[in-house]
Amino acid sequence: MSIREATIAVNRFGLGARPGDIAKISKDPRGWLKGQLKPDAPPIREFAALKPSGETIMMLAALRKGGAEVRDQRNQMQRDTYKVEMAARCLVAVRTEMPFRERLVRFWSNHLAVSTSRGEVRSMAGAYEREAIRPWVCGKFEQMLLSSARHPAMLVYLDNLRSVGPNSKVGSKRERGLNENYARELMELHTLGVRGGYSQEDIIELAKILTGWGIERRDGIRVGFQFDGARHEPGNKTVLGKRYREGEESGRQVIRDLVHHDSTGKLLATKLARHFIADDPPPKAVDRIAKAFKSSRGDLGKTAEALVDCPEAWEKSLTKLKTPEDLVSSTARALGYDTDGLPNLESVKYLGQLPFSAPSPQGWADRAEEWLGPEAILTRVEWAEQVGMESTERIEDPVGFGEDILGELSKTTRRAVASVSKSDALALVLASPEFQRR
Amino acid sequence: MFNRRTLLKSMGAGGLLALARPEWSFAAAPGDVRLVVMLLRGAVDGLAAVPPHGDFRYEKARGAMALPRSGSEGGVIDLDGFYGLHPSLAPLQPLWESKELALVHATALPYNDRSHFDSQDVLENGTDRPLGSRTGWLNRALVGKTGEPAMAIGRTVPLILRGPQKVTSADPLRVWKPDNALLNAVADLYEADPQLGPALEIGIQTQAMLDVHRGRMRDAKRQKKRDFEKAARVLGGVLAADDGPRVAVVDLGGWDTHTGQSNGLNKLLEGLAGSVVGMREAMGSTWDKTVVLAMTEFGRTVHANGTAGTDHGTASFTMLAGGAVAGGKVYGEWPGLRDDQLFEGRDLQPTTDLRSISKGVLMAHLGVSDSAIEDSVFPDSRDAKPMLELIRS
């Protein structure tokens, strides 16, 4: 029995303890984590009423033409879709019985980030995570990457939708051509990593291979992925020394080859170890995870198991500063909030991490110094104060509460929490160095 | 050091004003100058911002993205017969006339691999390679200087300002109402915490300093402008105050214009110009001793891509504004737009190392010593000669 390991499992690998969680899993924390890594998971009730991206796109397309009124309607619809999606996403984070799996969903959707900085992405971001990321989170990375590449949200966000082979039928007739944005980030951010061994020429060739990847139009309305040969650059292409033939299949092939390149396993292992072990990931852990990725041919469930098996993951407690999103979900779980009260989308926004609004395709940063500004810390303290005030009726004994969700409180925290009003005591538990970390 | 409990107890309505912090007095500050570094993240199309309309290859090279000729509707604003300003930068024209605006064209970092993330890292870390340092050149340049900590605008501190020297961050538009008893207790909890402790302590000091500017914040918030333009106005006032910071960093992102770039770019350039003009208005006579240095991680392709935008390129432009700038001039050697003059056949060829500009500003404006520059601020950069001439003597 290990309270310390159970605390790490629930708070660092999971999304934060609910009262009683740590005791409940303390017999076998690692088994509890691994039990969440089956390839398939039951459907999620909170998502039942959400629309598939195709349907949203059709509704938006119907509001395409018209004056200011129609445009306002369209914007309103995008905002509403985003809100409904994000509310469901928040609820899942609070209610899930598989918080490690949920954290992995968020990790991978941040790895293959889309952002609402592109207006059209706003109504598709939630669906992107549900459709392209979630199904493969314990499956094959190749399928996840392919789903991401083909999803309308990614096609729009990194411009591949608009990229046209300059010598294709459409390209030569309308003087349109390549846009290398997606091809570059596909290699730099999603697979090989920035010094993973590709050149500017490889980027251009990859962009050519991916021309024609677009969204199907039905009655002039876009609904789902479609390969359009009229936009595809004719001829063979060469990426990283390998030749690819013309056609849709070459895109699948090149994505498969990128996934199984050694640089990709290293990049993914480093990012996983940084997220789950420490800002500066121990090289031994990175090696172990990269090996598992390689030997399983990119099976993300097996890769996550290797992460759990890293001894380095269990050596030190509280190595990671929570991001604002972590802070909000762990607070909501600890205090038993559900659809009510402060820990919600507004809170995440206030603390500086509105979902799917990362400043660049690199996604949200995963090192403490990126979240640590004086203004950021003041905002966290202020938020803890508000939550403390609103939560006094939920908790009888703040010290007992703190020990329950954190395994233990430091002497300093315990003394401070014990000596103030209940509202301040709760705020102190939430603001404490141990709750600000995982 | 001051006693934190005493500090916090003195806070409250009006209490912040009464703080005596003799050890942070500005009498000790070396010179009474101001520096604002604006980081234009996403890679600005320098050929759009500062078009070389006098180059006879300009219109052909830019194709449909070439701006209408100077004098026509929405055309280039001519500066010196060869270079011009994008029409959305029109608010900066008076600064050019009064020699408070200088531009450097074809600037680039010693890193040319067209990755935003690596290049921004080099832009901020001050070495010649990505991940070359975990601290920023601006922070290292301030080591040993006294005075109010340099301020990053926003929640967090970007790499350029991270390092051994104490710095702060603040959102100039957020009005803060602290519960002092609780803050006291949290500060005690953070006392031994190497990350949270210093962040909270400096944050509280910064809020105390900002307290006199609350009225300015409320005024700014009422104006019909973009948030960062409002923030720039408040920042101008804060910088002009006797006890304000001397150095600030502003992030202005969104310049990654791969598709249909003209609309987005127009708005961004308007915002950039609006921020500079707003800061100038708010600063009053302090503007005379100010340099605003705006830089980006790289430029964009000379020719349009297939989607009326531009892809990642190499050289771009750098802008300096302020009363302390030797302005009314476009510095740097023009590399030309002929195909064989382009970098790797596609990008504007760099002719000025961005570090030469930063070094010139640090030395001639902030008085950073040559040895500090070469030893720690921009290590191994002897080949990038400091452009001291950018600062008015």
Side-chain angles (χ1 to χ4, degrees), chain A residues 181-421:
Chain A
N181 199 10
Y182 179 64
R184 177 185 300 279
E185 306 308 13
L186 177 57
M187 290 202 278
E188 177 180 331
L189 300 177
H190 299 169
T191 58
L192 307 178
V194 66
R195 283 168 292 282
Y198 57 91
S199 67
Q200 175 64 39
E201 201 46 45
D202 289 323
I203 292 171
I204 292 172
E205 291 287 289
L206 178 57
K208 286 181 188 164
I209 292 180
L210 295 172
T211 48
W213 287 41
I215 304 175
E216 183 194 355
R217 284 167 189 275
R218 212 177 285 157
D219 305 327
I221 292 174
R222 294 167 176 174
V223 286
F225 177 78
Q226 188 179 48
F227 177 78
D228 180 359
R231 298 156 67 94
H232 183 68
E233 177 71 0
N236 293 334
K237 294 101 187 167
T238 305
V239 175
L240 300 170
K242 182 174 165 179
R243 187 186 293 186
Y244 297 87
R245 285 178 198 282
E246 176 181 335
E248 180 183 1
E249 184 53 29
S250 62
R252 293 166 174 273
Q253 273 170 5
V254 76
I255 283 181
R256 189 174 313 137
D257 291 338
L258 288 173
V259 165
H260 298 299
H261 192 288
D262 279 350
S263 297
T264 302
K266 274 181 212 146
L267 176 80
L268 301 183
T270 306
K271 286 186 76 172
L272 277 165
R274 177 173 297 130
H275 187 77
F276 285 95
I277 301 177
D279 287 3
D280 293 311
K284 273 190 186 159
V286 174
D287 285 349
R288 180 192 284 262
I289 300 164
K291 269 190 198 130
F293 181 84
K294 188 172 179 170
S295 64
S296 68
R297 296 285 295 162
D299 183 311
L300 297 181
K302 295 274 185 296
T303 307
E305 272 181 28
L307 171 66
V308 176
D309 286 334
C310 289
E312 297 84 1
W314 305 93
E315 279 165 9
K316 288 186 195 138
S317 303
L318 302 175
T319 52
K320 294 287 296 181
L321 186 74
K322 285 179 183 172
T323 62
E325 200 173 35
D326 282 338
L327 190 59
V328 173
S329 8
S330 57
T331 302
R333 288 173 70 86
L335 290 168
Y337 280 99
D338 194 76
T339 48
D340 49 341
L342 261 182
N344 54 20
L345 197 60
E346 282 308 305
S347 296
V348 198
K349 185 179 177 186
Y350 179 73
L351 292 167
Q353 197 185 13
L354 191 64
F356 301 102
S357 71
S360 82
Q362 202 173 24
W364 298 107
D366 208 357
R367 293 177 59 88
E369 65 254 31
E370 304 286 346
W371 296 104
L372 252 184
E375 175 83 17
I377 299 307
L378 281 176
T379 316
R380 288 181 183 216
V381 173
E382 218 178 347
W383 185 75
E385 182 194 341
Q386 287 176 54
V387 178
M389 284 193 289
E390 301 212 359
S391 308
T392 47
E393 281 170 18
R394 293 172 179 265
I395 302 297
E396 281 300 312
D397 160 27
V399 172
F401 163 73
E403 286 172 339
D404 191 346
I405 57 164
L406 290 164
E408 61 174 350
L409 292 177
S410 74
K411 266 189 206 148
T412 323
T413 303
R414 200 190 150 89
R415 203 181 316 124
V417 172
S419 63
V420 291
S421 70

Side-chain angles (χ1 to χ4, degrees), chain A residues 178 188 195 200 375 382 431, chain B residues 115 118 174 190 306 346:
Chain A
L178 290 180
E188 177 180 331
R195 283 168 292 282
Q200 175 64 39
E375 175 83 17
E382 218 178 347
Chain B
S115 153
D118 264 6
R174 193 176 73 105
Y190 289 3
R346 59 181 255 155

Side-chain angles (χ1 to χ4, degrees), chain B residues 7-92:
Chain B
L7 167 70
L8 291 170
K9 278 183 184 137
S10 74
M11 290 172 60
L16 301 175
L17 285 172
L19 292 172
R21 287 175 293 149
E23 71 280 11
W24 285 24
S25 138
F26 287 102
D32 187 26
V33 297
R34 308 291 191 279
L35 173 64
V36 179
V37 176
M38 296 181 92
L39 296 172
L40 311 179
R41 295 185 194 273
V44 185
D45 185 356
L47 290 175
V50 182
H53 67 130
D55 186 318
F56 72 94
R57 292 192 181 85
Y58 164 74
E59 288 185 354
K60 182 149 180 279
R62 293 254 101 186
M65 289 191 312
L67 293 162
R69 290 191 179 166
S70 140
S72 53
E73 169 106 20
V76 176
I77 300 166
D78 179 51
L79 293 177
D80 59 4
F82 186 81
Y83 293 107
L85 279 182
H86 188 284
S88 297
L89 292 177
L92 297 179

Side-chain angles (χ1 to χ4, degrees), chain B residues 321-334:
Chain B
V325 171
K329 187 175 168 184
V330 181
Y331 293 81
E333 191 189 325
W334 180 241

